[in-house]
Amino acid sequence: MSGLFMWFIVGWCVLFIVLMAIGGFFMFRKFLKALPKKDGKSILDWQDHYINQSLHLWDERAKNLLNELVSPVPELFRDVAKAKIAGVISRIVLEEQATTVEFEHIIRGYIEATPPRDHKFLRKKLYQMDIDVAQYEHYFLLEV
């Protein structure tokens, strides 16, 4: 019986160490994004800056489309994904000096903000929404 209990404790310790390592990895990634770059602002600072500067350009239609596009993302990560995508869309809108957030900006920002490993899921979502991916194929080829 004591041998079984010992293996239980060893297994629990291994599981605990693995879970701590996974959590530490994601916390470290968030920490790196929060570090200031050469210009004095971090990635997250720039993301917030772009969103705040373009907030008045977002109408309900654009917000609803963004919410629909991020719906496949697990709920735990959805807010982070939505903020990242909105930051990229906002950067695009501000660079083009657009007067409103258009459908083209949202699709382009969605593609640019999505890591290449997730493009398969992105294409599937666009297909489900009856959006022709062929006209946006050149955005998939851009290296950001």
Side-chain angles (χ1 to χ4, degrees):
M1 188 67 174
S2 67
L4 184 64
F5 183 70
M6 182 186 71
W7 282 111
F8 172 75
I9 296 297
V10 169
W12 180 255
C13 289
V14 169
L15 177 69
F16 184 70
I17 290 170
V18 167
L19 292 176
M20 291 290 287
I22 292 170
F25 170 75
F26 286 106
M27 287 180 66
F28 186 69
R29 283 183 52 200
K30 184 76 168 185
F31 171 74
L32 288 178
K33 288 182 181 179
L35 283 177
K37 303 295 181 205
K38 290 180 182 175
D39 60 5
K41 287 189 173 187
S42 69
I43 294 171
L44 298 175
D45 291 338
W46 277 112
Q47 176 181 299
D48 292 341
H49 169 76
Y50 291 133
I51 291 172
N52 290 335
Q53 292 296 314
S54 69
L55 204 53
H56 65 284
L57 303 175
W58 287 81
D59 58 6
E60 282 305 310
R61 181 192 52 80
K63 291 176 186 175
N64 291 337
L65 179 59
L66 179 60
N67 286 330
E68 177 65 27
L69 289 172
V70 297
S71 65
V73 177
E75 194 171 339
L76 182 63
F77 306 111
R78 195 171 296 154
D79 288 339
V80 174
K82 191 162 83 169
K84 180 179 179 184
I85 294 168
V88 173
I89 294 168
S90 297
R91 177 183 52 80
I92 292 168
V93 168
L94 292 173
E95 286 174 355
E96 293 182 3
Q97 298 177 348
T99 56
T100 60
V101 176
E102 299 295 332
F103 183 80
E104 175 82 14
H105 298 130
I106 294 171
I107 299 301
R108 179 179 169 197
Y110 182 49
I111 293 169
E112 284 185 22
T114 304
R117 68 177 180 270
D118 294 334
H119 281 179
K120 178 177 70 172
F121 303 110
L122 183 151
R123 290 174 188 271
K124 181 180 175 185
K125 182 61 181 176
L126 293 174
Y127 177 75
Q128 288 173 350
M129 295 177 66
D130 293 326
I131 298 172
D132 182 24
V133 179
Q135 60 187 353
Y136 302 108
E137 217 41 63
H138 58 284
Y139 293 133
F140 285 103
L141 303 175
L142 294 176
E143 250 339 280
V144 178

